[in-house]
Amino acid sequence: MKVENWNNLIHEELFEIAENLKFEKNCFVIAHNYQFMEVQQIADYVGDSLQMAKVAAETDADMILLCGIKIMAETAKILNPNKKVLMAHPKADCRLALMKSADDLRKLKQKYPAAEVVCYVNSPATLKAESTITCTSANAIEVVNSLPKDKEIIFVPDRNIGAWVQFKTGRELFMFDSYCYVHQDITLQNVLELRKMYPDYKLIVHPECNLDVCKNADLVCSTSQMIDFVRKNDKVIIGTEIGMYDQLKFHFPYKKLVPLSSRMTCEDMKKTTLLGAVQALYFEQNEIEVPDEIREKSLRSLQRMFEIN
Ligand code: 13P
């Protein structure tokens, strides 16, 4: 199909173009829960990082368009070396993932040579390649518990998920000091104020929040686990990136939902627009590549995670 005058197209036209292109190119579109609603609307699957990785591993499409951040597109490519994997926006990175390099991890491994490495999925492929097993926010506790009790564990890169897992499992974890700036920003003070304003609401937070915030929540969970919680509860404070709140309001308009903070905006997740995503598919732009050696090593780390689920 041929498209002209991209800037004059309305949403409905872009939705139609996206549907035609997906069919023509046999492309599977995966979007993260934080994406703008109009981007989610062109996706064949919307989910959390674990679900995104699982559907990427299972699709038999020829091409994948990833609406999210670079680490998610890399994961899809690691699982699909022979497919074309496109990113909806070329510069949607993850600041947490960029804080430490594979060299930093090698140094930490030298300090604890007997340790197994658990690598949170919001990390570059080069870090996953240096790790024993990957985890996501949905399974970090199970992943750590799957390792023998007498094993030392390095947990990278997010110190807040690490602290939460350490608290829940009682295992000592050796960590980096990296964090997600969106979740790090939330303080216990914010939580206490909201609790006071909404005393009969439940509070759910993402484990990338500080430990004292997590300890004060009714549930600490992944973004998709938040959807399950809201399905069963009517008054909920949502403690994660604002896109999750937008999606929940869209799907559950009659529930009483409050964002923990309206400041919780991930600039990278918000780089993807409907127009940008459709153009990436039309022009087959922003293709992701992962060098073979890194791909093979990081694949083993991802496969170990799938085995325990
Ligand atoms: P999920 O694992 O819940 O998808 O979270 C990913 C993320 O980027 C959190 O900031």
Side-chain angles (χ1 to χ4, degrees):
M1 68 183 303
K2 196 159 165 53
V3 183
E4 278 156 12
N5 295 326
W6 281 98
N7 291 327
N8 296 334
L9 298 171
I10 58 168
H11 277 186
E12 282 62 28
E13 289 167 319
L14 286 168
F15 290 145
E16 198 183 323
I17 295 168
E19 282 314 307
N20 289 335
L21 290 172
K22 281 178 359 178
F23 181 75
E24 255 175 41
K25 295 174 190 266
N26 190 20
C27 178
F28 189 63
V29 181
I30 308 175
H32 188 262
N33 286 318
Y34 294 159
Q35 291 289 292
F36 286 124
M37 284 314 296
E38 63 260 29
V39 175
Q40 295 189 16
Q41 277 169 283
I42 62 161
D44 299 293
Y45 190 86
V46 180
D48 68 14
S49 328
L50 181 61
Q51 293 170 324
M52 291 171 85
K54 281 187 180 163
V55 295
E58 284 161 10
T59 181
D60 56 6
D62 296 320
M63 193 188 286
I64 295 174
L65 174 68
L66 203 298
C67 305
I69 46 178
K70 185 173 174 197
I71 54 111
M72 294 168 175
E74 268 186 358
T75 298
K77 183 65 186 180
I78 293 163
L79 297 164
N80 292 285
N82 301 322
K83 292 193 204 322
K84 199 174 229 187
V85 176
L86 306 175
M87 257 183 89
H89 191 286
K91 293 203 165 84
D93 228 310
C94 172
R95 291 193 203 169
L96 159 64
L98 294 175
M99 281 185 180
K100 295 282 180 190
S101 67
D103 264 353
D104 293 319
L105 179 51
R106 281 190 283 268
K107 279 184 203 140
L108 195 58
K109 282 164 78 171
Q110 272 165 16
K111 209 166 155 196
Y112 304 103
E116 300 282 9
V117 180
V118 178
C119 186
Y120 179 49
V121 74
N122 284 35
S123 54
T126 46
L127 231 65
K128 292 186 185 78
E130 288 285 331
S131 71
T132 319
I133 184 164
T134 302
C135 75
T136 76
S137 63
N139 62 16
I141 292 171
E142 289 93 315
V143 167
V144 165
N145 277 333
S146 76
L147 297 171
K149 285 269 173 289
D150 57 347
K151 269 275 165 210
E152 287 188 324
I153 301 175
I154 291 172
F155 188 101
V156 291
D158 187 288
R159 69 176 184 207
N160 289 332
I161 298 205
W164 175 244
V165 173
Q166 188 165 256
F167 172 70
K168 291 299 281 182
T169 60
R171 310 271 303 252
E172 187 185 8
L173 305 178
F174 305 113
M175 293 182 255
F176 284 155
D177 56 1
S178 311
Y179 55 85
C180 160
Y181 73 99
V182 178
H183 292 86
Q184 172 67 28
D185 212 27
I186 297 301
T187 62
L188 181 57
Q189 188 62 24
N190 298 134
V191 169
L192 298 178
E193 277 163 20
L194 268 257
R195 285 283 205 197
K196 214 169 174 181
M197 284 166 73
Y198 302 98
D200 55 343
Y201 280 54
K202 296 264 194 273
L203 169 67
I204 56 178
V205 303
H206 194 277
E208 286 175 13
C209 289
N210 287 296
L211 183 59
D212 50 1
V213 169
C214 291
K215 279 184 182 170
N216 272 278
D218 295 292
L219 182 69
V220 179
C221 62
S222 82
T223 52
S224 285
Q225 290 164 344
M226 289 183 179
I227 303 173
D228 295 336
F229 187 87
V230 169
R231 199 169 278 127
K232 295 179 203 134
N233 292 273
D234 291 331
K235 295 179 177 178
V236 190
I237 302 169
I238 314 297
T240 193
E241 208 275 339
I242 199 75
M244 189 71 250
Y245 166 78
D246 294 336
Q247 189 201 130
L248 289 165
K249 277 308 279 178
F250 180 86
H251 290 305
F252 304 102
Y254 304 110
K255 300 230 176 198
K256 292 197 160 77
L257 305 175
V258 176
L260 178 52
S261 162
S262 53
R263 293 192 314 272
M264 296 184 82
T265 300
C266 172
E267 286 169 21
D268 285 283
M269 282 283 184
K270 285 345 193 210
K271 283 178 179 162
T272 301
T273 59
L274 175 60
L275 175 64
V278 178
Q279 285 184 324
L281 180 53
Y282 181 87
F283 296 109
E284 299 187 18
Q285 283 165 337
N286 321 326
E287 185 172 357
I288 285 284
E289 296 291 356
V290 179
D292 280 347
E293 195 197 339
I294 301 291
R295 196 195 74 77
E296 278 155 26
K297 287 186 184 165
S298 47
L299 179 63
R300 278 204 294 280
S301 172
L302 280 162
Q303 279 169 336
R304 281 197 64 171
M305 171 180 79
F306 290 136
E307 281 160 21
I308 72 140
N309 270 276

